[in-house]
Amino acid sequence: MANFARYYGLSASTGVGADQLLRDLDAGKSVIADNIGAGFGHIISIRGRDGDGNYIVGDPSYPGTVTWTRDQVIANVAAGGWGDYYVAVWR
């Protein structure tokens, strides 16, 4: 996935673990990850924070905008369907 983003002119890196995931999000990077919290794995995006400090999540299982707390991000992503693996993407 990181190579795909780079092909289209974006910067991208892979990451592992909750600490690195939260650092990348706090640095303003968007993240593509596997959501294991729904009981089945599927791809989601996390693309920043809202005014309350919650993370803005693009999840095909839920229409519209979904927000998660830090603990929800860790439970649903960093607990890991991909072994805690994710891709950070930014311009």
Side-chain angles (χ1 to χ4, degrees):
M1 246 189 265
N3 287 337
F4 184 79
R6 288 185 201 110
Y7 178 82
Y8 285 98
L10 300 171
S11 296
S13 64
T14 56
V16 177
D19 291 338
Q20 183 63 45
L21 172 72
L22 295 171
R23 279 194 300 272
D24 282 340
L25 289 168
D26 290 342
K29 299 174 182 176
S30 295
V31 167
I32 301 166
D34 186 17
N35 175 14
I36 61 157
F40 56 92
H42 61 281
I43 303 298
I44 62 165
S45 65
I46 306 173
R47 55 189 187 276
R49 289 188 168 191
D50 67 9
D52 295 324
N54 294 314
Y55 294 93
I56 301 167
V57 177
D59 186 336
S61 295
Y62 302 98
T65 301
V66 177
T67 58
W68 285 351
T69 64
R70 178 185 185 279
D71 290 341
Q72 287 174 302
V73 169
I74 292 170
N76 286 291
V77 178
W82 288 347
D84 296 351
Y85 170 84
Y86 65 91
V87 176
V89 179
W90 66 99
R91 289 190 185 270

